[in-house]
Amino acid sequence: MVRNKWLYIMLLPGLLYFIIFKYVPMYGLLLAFKNYQPFLGFVDSEWVGLKHFNRFFGDPLFWKLLSNTFILAAYNILFFFPLPIILALMLNELRSQAYKKWIQTMVYIPHFMSWVVIVSIAYLFFTTEGGLVNEAIASMGGEKIQFLLSPGWFRTFITGEVMWKETGWGTIIFLAALAGVDTQLYEAAKIDGAGRMRQLWHITLPAIRSTIIILLILRLGNFLDTGFEQIFLMLNSLNREVGEVFDTYVYTTGISQGEYSYSTAVGLFKSVVGLVLVFGSNFIAKRYGEEGIL
């Protein structure tokens, strides 16, 4: 530590951040086992044990929330997670560095937009009151479609918005991993007669396999985090049946209705599921010879 003291000093701000904003707030999880009353305070509020968990698991709404959250999370894993990998592989094949940087800039831009802007763009395109898509449908003699009010379209929009906003940003790690692939492997493959697809399958993908698995494990840790702001902005009375998830339910019960202990119990359940998924996926990865994260 003495020899590398400056490295530890550089580490200190990040370490303090995690201690102050990630570990210290964990003390507040005790709220899930109390009947918190603001006028009594955190310490003096009544201890009720697992009362809030029993109420939550016994509520018929629990299975609807679980189903909606799992379906949206599965959509993100199946449709969004592979896209940054595919895009990174395509960018890696470009030979013109100027064109490659231009493409990267264009696909990075949506990441810096807030969800309010993204949802507003969706409304401008798909609303029945002057939306570009519906106006195009009407101009061709078709009937306008209630995209934003239809439960059948809700999950498609949520997943599509995530794909458009975050795919470009997600390529950064994969492009960094691809930059570390030994070019001599490609030269040797060319000598052996391997084409571009063979090189991709036998050199490129195996080289970034560990990166893919690590990011997949981390993604599973946030499996139930479907994104409060985006879903809250897209929700309405007609699509709430398929759109209400744990994040919006915690906001409704905890902030709007003032049930702080109950909403903390719901949030704790979500965190425990994420922890189990991380350890489970890490165990499976190690079982099959991968490095994992632990």
Side-chain angles (χ1 to χ4, degrees), residues 29-232:
L29 292 176
L30 290 175
L31 215 64
F33 306 96
K34 288 174 169 281
N35 185 22
Y36 176 70
Q37 300 294 331
F39 60 86
L40 291 176
F42 184 83
V43 177
D44 295 328
S45 294
E46 179 189 5
W47 183 271
V48 295
L50 299 176
K51 174 184 175 181
H52 301 302
F53 293 96
N54 292 331
R55 172 190 165 188
F56 179 52
F57 295 140
D59 191 333
L61 188 59
F62 167 76
W63 294 106
K64 177 58 67 177
L65 292 171
L66 188 66
S67 172
N68 290 342
T69 306
F70 261 79
I71 290 173
L72 281 176
Y75 275 29
N76 280 334
I77 293 292
L78 291 174
F79 299 111
F80 167 64
F81 183 77
L83 277 186
I85 304 171
I86 296 170
L87 181 58
L89 292 172
M90 293 171 67
L91 289 172
N92 190 58
E93 292 297 316
L94 293 177
R95 292 295 172 258
S96 172
Q97 291 301 311
Y99 183 61
K100 179 179 178 179
K101 290 178 180 179
W102 183 81
I103 293 291
Q104 285 179 272
T105 302
M106 291 298 103
V107 297
Y108 289 171
I109 288 174
H111 170 78
F112 299 100
M113 298 180 185
S114 70
W115 278 117
V116 175
V117 174
I118 300 295
V119 172
S120 298
I121 292 172
Y123 270 81
L124 287 173
F125 272 87
F126 295 100
T127 182
T128 54
E129 304 298 326
L132 294 178
V133 174
N134 270 312
E135 289 300 319
I137 293 174
S139 67
M140 293 185 288
E143 186 176 346
K144 292 184 178 181
I145 302 171
Q146 297 278 4
F147 289 109
L148 301 174
L149 300 179
S150 171
W153 282 98
F154 180 81
R155 290 163 180 159
T156 302
F157 270 94
I158 294 295
T159 308
E161 288 169 2
V162 172
M163 290 163 65
W164 183 68
K165 185 176 188 293
E166 300 295 345
T167 295
W169 189 253
T171 61
I172 292 176
I173 295 177
F174 296 110
L175 286 172
L178 288 169
V181 180
D182 189 352
T183 56
Q184 292 182 357
L185 295 174
Y186 293 109
E187 294 172 1
K190 287 179 183 178
I191 293 172
D192 290 336
R196 299 291 285 273
M197 291 304 297
R198 286 285 184 180
Q199 293 174 41
L200 175 69
W201 185 256
H202 293 288
I203 298 175
T204 308
L205 285 177
I208 64 171
R209 183 176 59 189
S210 59
T211 304
I212 294 172
I213 291 173
I214 289 173
L215 290 178
L216 179 59
I217 293 172
L218 294 175
R219 171 72 61 176
L220 289 174
N222 297 319
F223 187 72
L224 298 185
D225 291 332
T226 48
F228 162 75
E229 188 177 357
Q230 178 198 14
I231 294 178
F232 183 74

Side-chain angles (χ1 to χ4, degrees), residues 260-276:
Y260 303 111
S261 294
Y262 180 66
S263 60
T264 303
V266 177
L268 180 57
F269 163 75
K270 203 180 75 169
S271 300
V272 170
V273 172
L275 185 65
V276 170

Side-chain angles (χ1 to χ4, degrees), residues 228-243:
F228 162 75
E229 188 177 357
Q230 178 198 14
I231 294 178
F232 183 74
L233 291 168
M234 292 291 292
L235 274 180
N236 54 60
S237 58
L238 296 179
N239 61 25
R240 188 171 294 275
E241 182 69 17
V242 298

